[in-house]
């Protein structure tokens, strides 16, 4: 199937901003000929500036690039207020709860709620421009409202995914030195309430001295503890706030938000995004990649705790004046038809999800989509991990009725928005390829010295020019920022941004992402650093050493596998002991990081394959778990016999 090419149906794309390949090439050339001028043109056209910018791109302190310096804007104004003259009564957010309850907020209602919330933050909690607000929330409209309220007053939000544990939350609160935490009592999942506030209580037990107040949104109504003087009810306080709030003028480069993501060390990185560059690209990609039209209803199934939720549930859709659907539940509850029923019910035009969800829904209900009227769909999207051909084919044929292009969008927390992706109205699509860099994005597959990687071979996925929505720095750690992204690859002697991913280009120039080249694994499209999991496993008193690697997984794409050397190894016939230790280890991971990082498999091994200098040869461990032939030279290992011993344990 890799030879197949799918062309867009002209009838579906009549008002597209980039209607065909010729326009795409023209725009690519425009950027090539006048990079800064073309970006400036879009920035002037798309953003409602309070004050125009004085410079376009400032490279004087590379790689700490600055875009549109001197310009002033407000992202909440860009996403809400500026639409009020034309779209007051248009639905901004359509919410569906786990149990099917619905809420629709028009742009006018959203403005009202955001203003009241912004006033609450200022007046009740003393939040000022530049203060950090940690948001630990479920998928309810208040989460978007709270993010936008921060943007309105210039506070920097840091959303922490609701599946992270108290310890993980605490680390992020401390690193950001947050003043306010916004959470909910809990929410609903699969018909049952689950809790969030108790996790915040636990996180705040130690070390979070910067936190003054906790603001709690009521969602599931379950009992929670209240600490007098610290905990406040959102639902109570909101009643007393004015619905008028001036947008704080923000300089283009001031931080809009932090979002923590995993890297190759144990400590998560606080990725810092800007105001103007970020919102510009969120809006442009929303228009190009999803072909969002004024009457469209768009649904992205991500969680707001990840970058996809930030850019493509909240900021991108609202900046474009679109209607965005927010869903609290899971795609498999009450049955595998949930998503398709929602597509029919809301007449969804663009549906954006992760390959993991597609694989799961395919497995659970091959013909399920056929029971629903999915004819409203025009564009299907995927994100987060490579999509395998069987999942692609099912998504294209059964969900999209062989009518809707699939936009396989490649990007990262650090890139802010899409980087390599088809444009549905223009790009002929090859399954499982993210196709070409978007206009304005200088994506190249190169060797470390900048020479182009030969066709069909694996190289480094790099971006050789700065772009407006790129990460600005790692919060509190500018050196790590430089080293993580600008330390590996160069072009023309100058450091360029390296994504951490490998990629391949075919004879037609199509790019296929081959996966991470560092010690980060991608579980169900979520990035988890092996070092983080290893640090957690090492906390078990009987663990001497450990190496964690990714393991192919039918649904999750990649699963987590740990090779563990115990200090006091149970004898091989003591299976019960082994199971007990495994349970204990998973318990530690759950409380340290969260359930998303639980191991899918573990093996207790006598030792790890190490070089004489003590470096663990993870590549060998990866090959073993994949069942691949070991091609590495094992003679340089401290103990070459260990490889066959481990193989026997894992495969036996
Ligand atoms: C991977 C998610 C293949 C990649 C937006 C990247 C992909 C990491 C794709 C970023 C894709 C994302 N095809 N791999 N279309 N999209 N990835 O920061 O390894 O959570 O580096 O951002 O996901 O994950 P993150």
């Amino acid at each position: 199937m890799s030879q197949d090419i799918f062309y867009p149906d002209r009838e579906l794309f009549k008002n597209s901003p980039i209607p065909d390949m010729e326009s795409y090439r023209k725009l690519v050339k425009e950027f090539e000929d006048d990079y800064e001028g073309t970006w400036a043109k879009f920035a002037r056209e798309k953003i409602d500036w309070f004050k125009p910018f004085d410079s376009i791109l400032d490279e004087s302190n590379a790689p700490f690039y600055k875009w549109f310096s001197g310009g002033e804007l407000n992202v909440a104004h860009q996403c809400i207020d500026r639409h009020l003259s034309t779209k007051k009564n248009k639905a901004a957010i359509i919410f569906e709860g786990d149990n099917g309850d619905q809420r629709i907020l028009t742009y006018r209602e959203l403005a009202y709620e955001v203003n009241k919330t912004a006033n609450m933050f200022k007046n009740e909690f003393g939040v000022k421009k530049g203060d950090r607000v940690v948001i630990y929330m479920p998928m309810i409209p208040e989460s978007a409202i709270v993010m936008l309220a921060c943007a309105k007053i210039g506070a920097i939000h840091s959303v922490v995914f609701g599946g992270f544990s108290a310890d993980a939350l605490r680390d992020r609160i401390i690193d950001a030195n947050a003043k306010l935490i916004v959470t909910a009592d809990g929410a609903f999942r699969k018909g049952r309430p689950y809790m969030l506030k108790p996790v915040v209580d636990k996180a705040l037990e130690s070390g979070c001295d910067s936190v003054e107040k906790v603001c709690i949104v009521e969602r599931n109504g379950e009992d929670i503890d209240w600490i007098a003087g610290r905990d406040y009810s959102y639902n109570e306080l909101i009643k007393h706030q004015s619905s008028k709030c001036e947008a704080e003028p923000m300089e283009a480069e001031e931080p809009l938000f932090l979002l923590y993501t995993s890297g190759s060390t144990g400590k998560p990185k606080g990725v810092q995004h800007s105001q103007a560059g970020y919102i510009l690209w969120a809006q442009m990609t929303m228009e190009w990649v999803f072909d969002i039209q004024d009457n469209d209803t768009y649904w992205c199934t991500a969680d707001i705790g990840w970058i996809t939720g930030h850019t493509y549930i909240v900021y991108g859709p609202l900046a474009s004046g679109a209607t965005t659907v927010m869903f609290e539940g899971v795609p498999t509850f009450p049955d595998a038809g949930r998503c398709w029923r929602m597509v029919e019910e809301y007449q969804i035009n663009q549906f954006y999800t992760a390959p993991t969800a597609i694989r799961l829904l395919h497995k659970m209900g091959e013909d399920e989509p056929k029971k629903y009227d999915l004819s409203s769909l025009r564009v299907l999207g995927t994100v987060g991990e490579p999509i395998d051909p069987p999942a692609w084919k099912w998504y294209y044929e059964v969900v999209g009725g062989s009518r809707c292009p699939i936009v396989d969008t490649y990007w990262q927390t650090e890139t802010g928005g899409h980087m390599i992706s088809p444009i549905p109205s223009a790009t002929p699509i090859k399954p499982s390829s993210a196709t070409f860099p978007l206009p304005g994005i200088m994506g190249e597959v190169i060797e470390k010295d900048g020479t182009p990687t030969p066709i069909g071979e694996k190289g480094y996925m790099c971006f050789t020019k700065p772009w407006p929505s790129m990460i600005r720095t790692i919060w509190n750690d500018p050196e790590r920022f430089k080293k993580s992204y600008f330390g590996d690859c160069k072009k023309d002697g100058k450091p360029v941004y390296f994504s951490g991913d490998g990629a391949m280009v075919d004879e037609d120039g199509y790019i296929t992402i081959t996966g991470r080249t560092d010690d980060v694994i991608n579980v169900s499209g979520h990035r988890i650093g092996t070092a983080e999991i290893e640090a957690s496993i090492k906390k078990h008193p009987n663990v001497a050493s450990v190496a964690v690697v990714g393991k192919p997984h039918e649904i999750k794409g990649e699963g987590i596998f740990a090779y563990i050397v115990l200090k006091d190894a149970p004898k091989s016939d003591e299976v019960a002991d082994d199971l007990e230790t495994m349970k204990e280890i998973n318990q530690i991971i759950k409380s340290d990081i969260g359930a998303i990082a639980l191991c899918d498999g573990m093996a207790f091994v006598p030792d790890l394959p190490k070089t004489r200098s003590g470096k663990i040869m993870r590549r060998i461990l990866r090959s073993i778990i994949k069942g691949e032939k070991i091609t590495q030279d094992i003679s340089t290992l401290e103990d070459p016999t260990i490889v066959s011993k481990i193989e026997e344990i894992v495969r036996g």
Side-chain angles (χ1 to χ4, degrees):
M1 198 173 69
S2 64
Q3 295 311 310
D4 293 345
I5 291 205
F6 297 81
Y7 292 89
D9 177 354
R10 287 270 86 77
E11 284 301 302
L12 290 178
F13 300 100
K14 287 193 178 135
N15 301 308
S16 305
I18 304 178
D20 47 36
M21 271 320 257
E22 202 187 319
S23 335
Y24 165 84
R25 283 190 207 101
K26 223 172 105 196
L27 194 49
V28 167
K29 176 130 194 339
E30 203 181 317
F31 274 106
E32 276 167 8
D33 292 347
D34 181 7
Y35 192 66
E36 292 191 29
T38 309
W39 277 116
K41 183 189 84 177
F42 280 108
R44 286 190 193 102
E45 183 187 314
K46 300 285 174 190
I47 293 181
D48 192 7
W49 295 96
F50 294 175
K51 179 173 168 277
F53 47 89
D54 322 305
S55 82
I56 306 166
L57 168 62
D58 174 358
E59 303 189 77
S60 58
N61 191 23
F64 301 92
Y65 298 104
K66 288 184 182 165
W67 284 90
F68 314 121
S69 288
E72 283 180 9
L73 73 162
N74 181 281
V75 167
H77 169 88
Q78 180 74 11
C79 289
I80 309 170
D81 303 355
R82 77 184 179 106
H83 300 312
L84 294 179
S85 56
T86 51
K87 303 179 189 228
K88 231 182 195 158
N89 298 318
K90 176 174 175 173
I93 297 177
I94 295 180
F95 167 74
E96 178 162 309
D98 180 67
N99 61 3
D101 56 336
Q102 296 174 3
R103 241 173 102 188
I104 298 179
L105 286 154
T106 61
Y107 272 91
R108 192 184 143 273
E109 289 166 316
L110 182 61
Y112 179 86
E113 298 294 338
V114 167
N115 287 350
K116 283 182 149 230
T117 306
N119 283 326
M120 179 200 302
F121 288 177
K122 277 199 293 201
N123 303 333
E124 310 285 344
F125 304 129
V127 176
K128 291 188 291 298
K129 177 171 163 171
D131 284 344
R132 270 81 57 211
V133 175
V134 163
I135 301 175
Y136 188 68
M137 296 273 283
M139 285 293 293
I140 55 175
E142 282 77 7
S143 306
I145 291 168
V146 164
M147 290 162 77
L148 290 156
C150 288
K152 187 113 198 199
I153 61 175
I156 303 169
H157 63 69
S158 168
V159 181
V160 178
F161 172 58
F164 278 121
S165 68
D167 288 3
L169 174 62
R170 175 188 301 135
D171 291 347
R172 287 156 176 79
I173 293 170
I174 294 175
D175 192 72
N177 221 12
K179 178 169 188 163
L180 173 70
I181 314 290
V182 187
T183 187
D185 43 7
F188 297 96
R189 189 189 296 124
K190 296 190 188 174
R192 291 208 207 100
Y194 71 92
M195 302 306 289
L196 289 169
K197 167 67 164 52
V199 185
V200 174
D201 289 338
K202 187 152 179 259
L204 295 182
E205 272 168 15
S206 64
C208 298
D209 303 336
S210 60
V211 176
E212 293 170 9
K213 301 278 158 60
V214 178
C215 175
I216 302 128
V217 178
E218 184 180 327
R219 169 63 185 152
N220 65 15
E222 297 289 308
D223 279 345
I224 49 172
D225 291 337
W226 290 86
I227 295 183
R230 189 197 76 182
D231 296 351
Y232 292 83
S233 160
Y234 177 93
N235 307 66
E236 271 310 308
L237 290 179
I238 196 91
K239 292 180 188 158
H240 316 295
Q241 310 302 323
S242 151
S243 60
K244 301 235 168 341
C245 178
E246 283 299 310
E248 183 77 33
M250 300 297 291
E251 206 276 336
E253 278 297 315
E254 283 178 301
L256 175 64
F257 65 83
L258 310 178
L259 185 58
Y260 284 81
T261 189
S262 295
S264 45
T265 73
K267 193 175 182 297
K269 309 186 263 199
V271 172
Q272 179 181 320
H273 278 289
S274 70
Q275 308 271 340
Y278 172 79
I279 201 66
L280 173 65
W281 192 231
Q283 186 178 330
M284 286 170 69
T285 48
M286 198 64 213
E287 294 168 6
W288 290 354
V289 175
F290 294 121
D291 194 62
I292 198 91
Q293 304 290 330
D294 205 24
N295 286 325
D296 284 350
T297 303
Y298 156 93
W299 181 20
C300 164
T301 69
D303 189 284
I304 50 135
W306 310 109
I307 191 69
T308 307
H310 282 58
T311 310
Y312 297 111
I313 293 178
V314 181
Y315 288 116
L318 297 176
S320 315
T323 299
T324 179
V325 173
M326 236 179 138
F327 174 48
E328 180 189 40
V330 298
T332 51
F333 179 81
D335 54 56
R338 180 67 183 259
C339 291
W340 319 130
R341 201 151 51 237
M342 282 178 65
V343 168
E344 177 181 287
E345 161 101 8
Y346 299 108
Q347 299 185 349
I348 304 288
N349 305 102
Q350 292 88 356
F351 179 70
Y352 190 33
T353 195
T356 294
I358 299 166
R359 285 190 292 266
L360 185 66
L361 292 173
H362 178 195
K363 200 165 167 221
M364 286 184 67
E366 169 96 42
D367 292 323
E368 197 65 26
K370 294 184 185 154
K371 297 185 195 158
Y372 301 90
D373 176 7
L374 307 181
S375 60
S376 58
L377 288 172
R378 209 151 46 81
V379 180
L380 298 174
T382 71
V383 56
E385 41 171 332
I387 175 161
D388 45 294
W392 194 96
K393 189 165 183 280
W394 181 76
Y395 198 33
Y396 184 77
E397 291 175 358
V398 183
V399 178
S402 301
R403 184 185 72 247
C404 312
I406 295 178
V407 289
D408 177 347
T409 61
Y410 167 78
W411 61 298
Q412 310 179 291
T413 304
E414 293 86 343
T415 67
H418 300 149
M419 300 297 275
I420 299 178
S421 168
I423 289 170
S425 45
T427 318
I429 289 169
K430 291 192 187 183
S432 307
S433 162
T435 73
F436 310 115
L438 290 169
I441 299 300
M442 303 301 171
E444 294 180 51
V445 180
I446 54 178
E447 300 302 298
K448 286 191 169 173
D449 64 0
T451 49
T453 302
I455 286 168
E457 283 177 29
K458 232 191 244 185
Y460 297 88
M461 187 68 246
C462 290
F463 297 99
T464 54
K465 262 184 193 281
W467 65 101
S469 68
M470 71 192 291
I471 172 177
R472 291 305 192 263
T473 187
I474 292 174
W475 184 256
N476 279 338
D477 206 345
E479 274 315 304
R480 189 172 177 201
F481 164 72
K482 269 201 214 152
K483 220 172 122 234
S484 303
Y485 306 105
F486 294 90
D488 291 305
C489 299
K490 285 192 170 145
K491 194 182 168 188
D492 303 327
K494 249 177 67 181
V496 292
Y497 179 94
F498 170 48
S499 60
D501 286 300
M504 237 156 43
V505 184
D506 76 3
E507 62 283 4
D508 301 321
Y510 281 70
I511 297 174
T512 295
I513 305 296
T514 53
R516 305 284 312 187
T517 62
D518 54 7
D519 293 321
V520 170
I521 44 189
N522 203 326
V523 183
S524 306
H526 301 142
R527 266 162 77 171
I528 304 174
T530 53
E532 277 170 74
I533 308 168
E534 287 167 4
S536 185
I537 294 176
K538 276 188 200 143
K539 291 184 184 165
H540 189 283
N542 195 21
V543 169
S545 56
V546 52
V548 167
V549 297
K551 153 192 178 176
H553 189 286
E554 200 192 350
I555 299 292
K556 299 180 182 179
E558 228 176 349
I560 301 170
F561 192 87
Y563 294 90
I564 299 169
V565 183
L566 294 176
K567 287 180 188 155
D568 188 8
K571 291 187 193 68
S572 54
D573 54 348
E574 291 173 354
V575 179
D577 269 12
D578 275 17
L579 288 178
E580 203 42 48
T581 310
M582 286 181 187
K583 251 204 251 160
E584 286 165 12
I585 289 174
N586 260 334
Q587 199 45 48
I588 296 176
I589 297 174
K590 199 168 167 190
S591 97
D592 242 15
I593 308 174
I596 51 169
L598 290 179
C599 289
D600 297 284
M602 294 180 205
F604 294 135
V605 295
D607 203 353
L608 297 171
K610 281 187 242 136
T611 60
R612 284 184 201 108
S613 60
K615 188 175 173 317
I616 297 171
M617 294 295 286
R618 282 160 206 283
R619 255 203 285 157
I620 294 178
L621 294 172
R622 276 195 284 266
S623 299
I624 294 177
I625 197 65
K626 284 186 188 157
E628 289 170 357
K629 218 168 119 50
I630 312 268
T631 52
Q632 294 85 7
D633 176 13
I634 61 171
S635 66
T636 58
L637 294 181
E638 197 181 49
D639 171 13
T641 66
I642 195 69
V643 175
S644 56
K645 286 182 196 153
I646 298 177
E647 274 186 307
E648 207 169 297
I649 292 170
V650 171
R651 291 180 191 163

